[in-house]
Amino acid sequence: MECNGTKAALIFKIVFIKIVCYYSWVMEKRILAPSLLSADFANLRDELLFCEDNGAGFIHIDVMDGHFVPQISYGQPVIKSIRQLTDLPFDVHLMVERPEEMVDSFISSGADWITFHYESAVHIDRLCNHIHNAGKKCGISIVPSTPVSFLEEILPLVDLVLVMTVNPGFGGQKLIPYCLEKVRCLQK
């Protein structure tokens, strides 16, 4: 497979640049999940087809509210409009304050997985159960400074753990090496 520019960044952003490592407790395998943030927004149909044709397991959609992280990305209307372009599952990564207030609208927009931050929710068990009761998969994410041990009680409630290896909200950052040990720890 030969990749160039934007397409290479789209496919490999999570694996090599952002290195957001997924570990699914259900499937117990790593999943290639290209980030929509790396796509050419003028050609989303082609970018999604490229992902389908090159082994993506699902599409990672970073939703940023300008509060939990300083940047703002996109929301429900974008997700709803691209839902019809691919059958790949959407993992909607809520980098937002109070994710419990937004989950239902993202599910209605086409999310298959809802991943929210440990640091942004008070009643994590309640939110995990709500997501599962809606028939969706639930993921939990941690920022680099959050210890994996904080997840011990809730691991049985989630289908996916997303370990951020950069501080959320900005592209082009260098990998924070100690985060890779968190992934190793979760694999045990």
Side-chain angles (χ1 to χ4, degrees), residues 40-61:
D40 175 356
F41 290 135
N43 295 300
L44 286 178
R45 179 184 304 275
D46 292 340
E47 299 283 49
L48 291 167
L49 288 173
F50 180 83
C51 291
E52 286 179 354
D53 293 343
N54 288 282
F58 50 84
I59 302 297
H60 181 80
I61 302 175

Side-chain angles (χ1 to χ4, degrees), residues 20-23 25 60 91-94 99 113-125 127-128 131-132 137-143 146 148 150-164 186:
V20 176
C21 297
Y22 286 89
Y23 185 74
W25 293 98
H60 181 80
D91 172 29
V92 176
H93 175 200
L94 298 177
W113 298 65
I114 298 286
T115 300
F116 63 93
H117 275 266
Y118 172 88
E119 304 85 2
S120 69
V122 175
H123 302 288
I124 293 172
D125 56 344
L127 186 52
C128 290
I131 293 167
H132 284 129
K137 299 288 188 181
C138 179
I140 192 80
S141 182
I142 55 174
V143 300
T146 300
V148 169
F150 284 19
L151 300 177
E152 184 176 348
E153 299 295 325
I154 60 167
L155 282 177
L157 302 176
V158 299
D159 304 293
L160 172 149
V161 174
L162 187 152
V163 175
M164 299 290 297
L186 285 165

Side-chain angles (χ1 to χ4, degrees), residues 4-52:
N4 60 24
T6 300
K7 297 210 186 259
L10 178 66
I11 287 296
F12 297 111
K13 180 176 183 185
I14 287 181
V15 178
F16 294 112
I17 298 171
K18 190 174 183 184
I19 310 197
V20 176
C21 297
Y22 286 89
Y23 185 74
S24 170
W25 293 98
V26 172
M27 294 178 274
E28 295 186 349
K29 66 179 181 178
R30 290 176 188 87
I31 300 168
L32 180 62
S35 175
L36 190 67
L37 276 179
S38 295
D40 175 356
F41 290 135
N43 295 300
L44 286 178
R45 179 184 304 275
D46 292 340
E47 299 283 49
L48 291 167
L49 288 173
F50 180 83
C51 291
E52 286 179 354

